[in-house]
Amino acid sequence: MEVKARGLTFDVHEGGPEDGEPVLLLHGFPQDSREFDLILPRLHAAGLRTYAMDQRGCSPGARPADVAAYTMTSVTADAIAVLDSLGIDSAHVVGHDWGAQVGWQLAARHPDRVRTLTAISVPHPRALMLAIRVRPSQKARLAYFEVFRRPFAERLLLAQHALALRLMLRPVGMRAEQYVAAMREPGRLTGGLNWYRAFDTGQIAQLGVVTVPTTYVWSDRDGVVGLTAALRTRDWVRADYQLVAMRGVSHWVPEQAPRELADAVLARIGV
C-alpha cells in the first residue's frame, strides 16, 4: 500500500493478522523491504502484524533530489510520520543496516513510539564512534563510506553490469539480482547513496541511551562492524538487553540467517 507522509509517498508492505501487535521493519542499503521476506512468515505465524517500509530514496514517491533531504533527522521523522499515518501509537521496530541506524534514533529520541528494538548489524552509534577511535581496524572497515559519498559512486556501482553491487551482495545469492535490477530505476541508486552523502557524525554525537527493551544482532563475518562496537553497545542500553552473536554469517543477516534472526526478533517481542 501507499502511505502519504511529510509530503512524500512511501510504499509499505503489510501482512499478518490485522489485530496483531505492529512491527515496523526498516531496510538498509542497497536493499529494500524485500530483505525481510524470509522472516515474515514466522512473524505472521506468531500473530504479528508487519509493516515493511521502503524508506526515503527507495520508494518511487519519496526520492527528493536534494542531498540535504536525507539527514538522519529527516529519515527518522519519516518513520514516525508513517506510523502516524497508519494510526499506530507504538510499534516493535526491526531494522537492518541503515534501518538499524534509524531504529536506534527512534528508540533513543522517541521511546514512546518504540515497544522493542531489534537492531541488526549496525550497533548503537556511540559504540561505533568509540570503536572507530580506539580500533584502527574499525575505521578501515568503514572506508567504503567515503567512496559512497563521492560523485562517481553511481558509476562505480553500476559499471560492468553492476559488478560492484553484485560483489557486495554475493552472500545473499540469487536474491541479489532483484536489488541490482531495482537500482536501475531513475533516482533509486542516488537516493540510497544520498543517505551516505547527507550523513554527519554531529547527527549522532549526542544520541543518548536507549530505554526500551533491545536486542542487537551481530555476525562474526560482518565486514562492516567489529567486535568492539558490538560489545560496547550494551553501554548505551538502560533496559533489558541481549547481544545475539551469529557465527559464520556476514553483514546480510536477514537473508543469510532468516531462521535465527526470526528467533531473535520473536524472543525480543516476547511471542
Side-chain angles (χ1 to χ4, degrees):
M1 65 175 169
E2 293 185 342
V3 175
K4 296 187 181 301
R6 307 187 69 224
L8 302 172
T9 301
F10 295 91
D11 292 339
V12 179
H13 307 273
E14 59 181 337
E18 292 187 5
D19 61 349
E21 291 190 41
V23 181
L24 179 67
L25 299 110
L26 303 169
H27 66 86
F29 177 87
Q31 296 156 298
D32 53 43
S33 60
R34 290 175 290 184
E35 74 163 306
F36 296 111
D37 284 354
L38 301 182
I39 74 168
L40 290 180
R42 291 277 308 283
L43 304 191
H44 297 161
L48 298 171
R49 181 69 168 175
T50 61
Y51 299 89
M53 172 183 170
D54 285 331
Q55 299 193 83
R56 182 176 294 235
C58 183
S59 288
R63 295 177 186 166
D66 189 357
V67 170
Y70 292 82
T71 63
M72 288 309 305
T73 299
S74 291
V75 297
T76 302
D78 290 343
I80 292 291
V82 165
L83 289 177
D84 288 342
S85 293
L86 292 171
I88 297 173
D89 292 332
S90 65
H92 302 284
V93 176
V94 178
H96 174 241
D97 190 76
W98 277 116
Q101 178 74 265
V102 175
W104 289 114
Q105 296 283 330
L106 289 170
R109 301 187 188 279
H110 306 278
D112 57 315
R113 308 304 299 270
V114 180
R115 301 185 186 188
T116 66
L117 171 65
T118 302
I120 311 156
S121 301
V122 173
H124 190 287
R126 300 287 291 277
L128 184 57
M129 290 176 67
L130 170 67
I132 291 170
R133 291 197 303 271
V134 303
R135 298 290 185 193
S137 60
Q138 180 59 72
K139 186 174 182 179
R141 287 171 181 262
L142 295 170
Y144 73 94
F145 208 97
E146 288 303 319
V147 176
F148 284 2
R149 291 164 66 97
R150 301 297 293 275
F152 58 74
E154 286 88 345
R155 296 194 304 274
L156 174 66
L157 291 173
L158 292 179
Q160 297 180 301
H161 304 288
L163 177 62
L165 276 175
R166 288 191 166 90
L167 289 175
M168 282 175 58
L169 291 165
R170 184 165 50 186
V172 309
M174 291 304 297
R175 290 182 60 82
E177 292 303 314
Q178 64 186 350
Y179 305 122
V180 171
M183 286 300 177
R184 299 188 185 281
E185 297 173 7
R188 172 75 172 261
L189 179 54
T190 296
L193 290 170
N194 281 346
W195 285 58
Y196 296 87
R197 293 165 176 153
F199 185 76
D200 186 318
T201 55
Q203 301 170 29
I204 61 173
Q206 301 304 316
L207 192 69
V209 298
V210 167
T211 58
V212 303
T214 297
T215 293
Y216 172 50
V217 179
W218 175 77
S219 43
D220 66 354
R221 294 191 181 178
D222 190 329
V224 178
V225 178
L227 182 60
T228 297
L231 293 177
R232 295 304 295 267
T233 290
R234 74 180 66 181
D235 299 340
W236 294 96
V237 180
R238 300 288 188 272
D240 185 64
Y241 174 75
Q242 183 176 9
L243 168 63
V244 174
M246 296 190 175
R247 304 287 184 182
V249 179
S250 74
H251 182 74
W252 315 106
V253 176
E255 288 162 299
Q256 261 199 300
R259 175 172 292 277
E260 295 84 351
L261 177 58
D263 287 344
V265 172
L266 293 174
R268 172 46 60 200
I269 294 174
V271 294

